[in-house]
Amino acid sequence: MSERRSSESGFPIKGVYTADDLPGELDSRLGGPGEFPYTRGVYPTMYTSRPWTMRQYAGFGTATESNARYHQLLRAGTMGLSVAFDLPTQMGYDSDDPIAHGEVGKVGVAIDSIEDMRLLFDGIPLDKVSTSMTINAPGSVLLLLYQLVAEENGVPGSALNGTIQNDILKEYIARGTYIFPPKPSLRLVADTFGYCRSEVPKWNTISISGYHMAEAGASPVQEIAFTLANGVEYVRAAIAAGLAVDDFAPRLSFFFVARTTLLEEVAKFRAARRIWARLMRDEFGAKNPKSMMLRFHTQTAGVQLTAQQPEVNLVRVAVQGLGAVLGGTQSLHTNSFDEAIALPTEKAARLALRTQQVLAYETDLTATVDPFAGSYVVEAMTAEIETAADALMARVFEHGSAVDAIEVGFQKREIEQSAYRIAQEIDSGERVVVGLNRFAIDAEEPYEPLRVDPAIEAAQAERLAKLRAERDSAAVERALVELRETASGTGNVLHPMKAALRERATVGEVCGALREVWGRYQPTDRF
């Protein structure tokens, strides 16, 4: 049994909660399901009419290999695809760029051009499958490639459903796969909002992510405070670009982690919905209820998986997934038990999906909406997290904006302090990690991980050489010139970007053209 008696966010957890611990004006804090402030969920019926979307994050090696995994997952019953891209793609470099050496296809699939995107979704009905793409700095580029492939298959943009992460601010805080400085990056996000409104209207144009900050060590309060502060920055950027709040806000979505601390995670999700609804109504004057609904995807906590006794991760993931469902997620990815060791095997990925299917079809979780409503402990925790997150957001805005706070390293420092505290607790044994600092075994059973063939890099380079030899180079250069000119002005860059990609310009060439105009982001010494 753990000796800790405080929450992940640092407030004490009482041994017994009573009605005296319930927050005041509980009825107004709750509302009804599908009603402001959406504490009880964004839809009136939640899972009673249909379960959450079951996504499995996958992508490795070549587009052909990843396509085979997607078909396996669809046959196994997944409802939506979630694409992982390799690091060169995430940072806007082609596979044959010297900086990409050793990283091609390693942590995701390598996508260099429209030809790779065709292979990635070969045989997959894009008008019937919802696709999420975990891509940020070049998110608009990958979305346009997806749209072009759909159009080649007779699927118009109006029929496409899915999400691009497209959340550049958290990259400066927690991950580092940024390309451009913050201001042009925010312009690119706003341009994507405007483009999708007319061209891909069902697409979720951003998934504002707390997940990666949580993986870096953020507490639940930090996760939602910094995520929602970034959300405010995106809303402000879109409004400054001339968009009306109710024209783009219904397509905003969020991405959070689900940890093993189930009660606090449920409270976190409920508090986040309440804060966002209030912000959108009171600060931005949103009138459309959909603008106030915090819709989110959840992924179980990769950082809590262990390489020691990896099968125990199956239990962790089940608990984490349960917390996400009880917290009212709209879609869920459950990690594979072997992800602390290597890329998931086919069997491990299938077991991860089966975890969600057991929760959806063998339990009674889908029988009622928000089963924790009125719970002494959960309502008290929800109120505590809401209050603490509001206070932390205020500290962010004391710097002027989320970007101003990022540029002086505020969020990063706060997260690092939290991560250090967690590491100390694990090292001391105060925080129990089963199989790591308690209940360890002398010898681990052998495990054969999935390995990526290093020959992929050479194969991708050959494909790129062939593409460049066969395409109309003059047409590509004309399209890139138009892209640079638009980036230098105030027009929407997605239109010339799409034209360049149609001419078979590569991801690296398109991002390189924007680098020439906007520059690269260089962290300051203060960061």
Side-chain angles (χ1 to χ4, degrees):
M1 181 176 178
S2 172
E3 288 79 14
R4 288 186 298 126
R5 288 294 182 268
S6 63
S7 71
E8 294 286 294
S9 297
F11 53 80
I13 299 177
K14 298 170 63 173
V16 176
Y17 286 79
T18 69
D20 292 337
D21 296 296
L22 292 174
E25 301 177 334
L26 182 59
D27 288 346
S28 63
R29 287 173 179 262
L30 284 174
E35 297 176 1
F36 186 91
Y38 305 104
T39 308
R40 302 201 63 191
V42 293
Y43 303 123
T45 58
M46 289 302 290
Y47 312 134
T48 61
S49 55
R50 62 178 295 272
W52 59 94
T53 299
M54 299 178 196
R55 295 190 187 278
Q56 288 306 113
Y57 185 50
F60 61 94
T62 66
T64 299
E65 289 175 297
S66 293
N67 174 264
R69 175 62 62 86
Y70 295 156
H71 280 285
Q72 291 164 358
L73 288 169
L74 289 169
R75 286 194 297 271
T78 192
M79 301 171 180
L81 300 175
S82 188
V83 184
F85 298 94
D86 70 357
L87 278 176
T89 305
Q90 290 181 46
M91 300 192 74
Y93 292 106
D94 290 330
S95 296
D96 60 355
D97 193 299
I99 202 171
H101 179 62
E103 292 294 340
V104 176
K106 287 290 179 67
V107 299
V109 61
I111 299 294
D112 292 317
S113 72
I114 191 171
E115 295 190 356
D116 289 327
M117 192 64 88
R118 287 177 186 136
L119 291 174
L120 186 64
F121 290 100
D122 183 44
I124 294 173
L126 299 187
D127 55 342
K128 295 181 174 61
V129 171
S130 172
T131 301
S132 173
M133 293 188 276
T134 304
I135 192 77
N136 294 284
S140 54
V141 182
L142 276 297
L143 169 60
L144 292 171
L145 288 174
Y146 186 85
Q147 183 189 10
L148 285 166
V149 169
E151 289 173 350
E152 290 176 352
N153 287 278
V155 179
S158 59
L160 296 177
N161 274 291
T163 305
I164 45 171
Q165 193 160 97
N166 200 28
D167 175 10
I168 194 60
L169 293 182
K170 65 93 175 52
E171 296 296 323
Y172 304 117
I173 296 171
R175 287 191 77 240
T177 62
Y178 42 72
I179 300 176
F180 317 113
K183 287 184 179 178
S185 293
L186 285 172
R187 173 191 168 178
L188 187 54
V189 170
D191 281 358
T192 305
F193 290 174
Y195 176 87
C196 288
R197 184 190 170 208
S198 58
E199 302 293 328
V200 198
K202 295 179 183 177
W203 199 265
N204 296 315
T205 49
I206 193 167
S207 178
I208 307 164
S209 175
Y211 181 88
H212 302 93
M213 290 186 275
E215 292 285 282
S219 70
V221 164
Q222 290 174 334
E223 179 191 358
I224 64 169
F226 294 152
T227 303
L228 299 186
N230 287 348
V232 167
E233 192 77 11
Y234 292 124
V235 173
R236 289 174 177 169
I239 291 172
L243 299 176
V245 65
D246 285 325
D247 285 343
F248 67 86
R251 303 315 307 170
L252 301 179
S253 65
F254 292 80
F255 176 26
F256 295 117
V257 76
R259 301 171 181 82
T260 51
T261 44
L262 186 148
L263 295 178
E264 187 176 6
E265 291 299 283
V266 172
K268 176 193 76 179
F269 296 132
R270 299 168 89 248
R273 278 195 295 270
R274 200 149 73 201
I275 294 170
W276 186 249
R278 188 178 67 246
L279 279 168
M280 294 304 292
R281 185 191 68 178
D282 299 345
E283 183 168 338
F284 296 109
K287 299 292 191 294
N288 185 343
K290 291 183 178 179
S291 298
M292 307 175 209
M293 295 177 183
L294 184 141
R295 297 170 302 112
F296 63 94
H297 169 70
T298 308
Q299 182 172 337
T300 56
V303 74
Q304 291 187 321
L305 303 182
T306 62
Q308 298 82 2
Q309 301 180 49
E311 293 84 359
V312 177
N313 293 330
L314 287 164
V315 182
R316 292 188 177 101
V317 168
V319 172
Q320 293 162 358
L322 177 62
V325 172
L326 289 170
T329 193
Q330 274 59 72
S331 66
L332 176 62
H333 163 84
T334 35
N335 288 328
S336 300
F337 74 89
D338 53 357
E339 287 187 43
I341 303 170
L343 289 169
T345 62
E346 180 183 346
K347 179 180 180 180
R350 186 171 60 248
L351 283 171
L353 176 60
R354 295 289 183 254
T355 302
Q356 295 200 51
Q357 291 166 336
V358 168
L359 291 175
Y361 302 114
E362 292 192 19
T363 75
D364 54 4
L365 287 174
T366 60
T368 188
V369 177
D370 189 25
F372 272 132
S375 158
Y376 298 154
V377 60
V378 169
E379 296 298 358
M381 282 189 171
T382 301
E384 282 189 280
I385 291 172
E386 179 184 14
T387 299
D390 279 337
L392 186 53
M393 288 176 70
R395 291 178 62 197
V396 171
F397 296 134
E398 284 174 3
H399 293 85
S401 69
V403 169
D404 293 325
I406 286 168
E407 290 182 337
V408 297
F410 172 71
Q411 298 97 320
K412 189 170 185 288
R413 282 194 304 272
E414 292 289 309
I415 291 170
E416 286 171 349
Q417 290 170 8
S418 175
Y420 181 62
R421 173 177 60 84
I422 292 169
Q424 285 184 310
E425 290 174 357
I426 293 172
D427 288 346
S428 70
E430 179 184 359
R431 178 184 295 259
V432 174
V433 180
V434 173
L436 179 65
N437 63 4
R438 195 179 296 187
F439 313 115
I441 56 178
D442 294 332
E444 296 285 344
E445 296 179 5
Y447 171 80
E448 186 60 38
L450 177 70
R451 301 190 187 280
V452 175
D453 187 349
I456 287 171
E457 186 171 328
Q460 283 295 112
E462 288 178 13
R463 286 174 54 78
L464 280 165
K466 185 172 184 290
L467 176 143
R468 293 189 179 108
E470 293 176 350
R471 71 187 183 183
D472 185 339
S473 298
V476 171
E477 185 52 38
R478 285 194 299 271
L480 292 174
V481 167
E482 184 179 351
L483 175 59
R484 293 187 195 97
E485 290 175 349
T486 305
S488 299
T490 59
N492 191 312
V493 297
L494 270 75
H495 297 286
M497 193 186 291
K498 184 180 180 184
L501 294 167
R502 184 184 288 113
E503 295 293 346
R504 298 201 290 173
T506 67
V507 171
E509 289 165 344
V510 168
C511 292
L514 294 177
R515 280 189 188 96
E516 291 177 30
V517 179
W518 291 342
R520 304 168 189 261
Y521 179 67
Q522 297 294 335
T524 65
D525 291 339
R526 292 176 299 174
F527 202 72

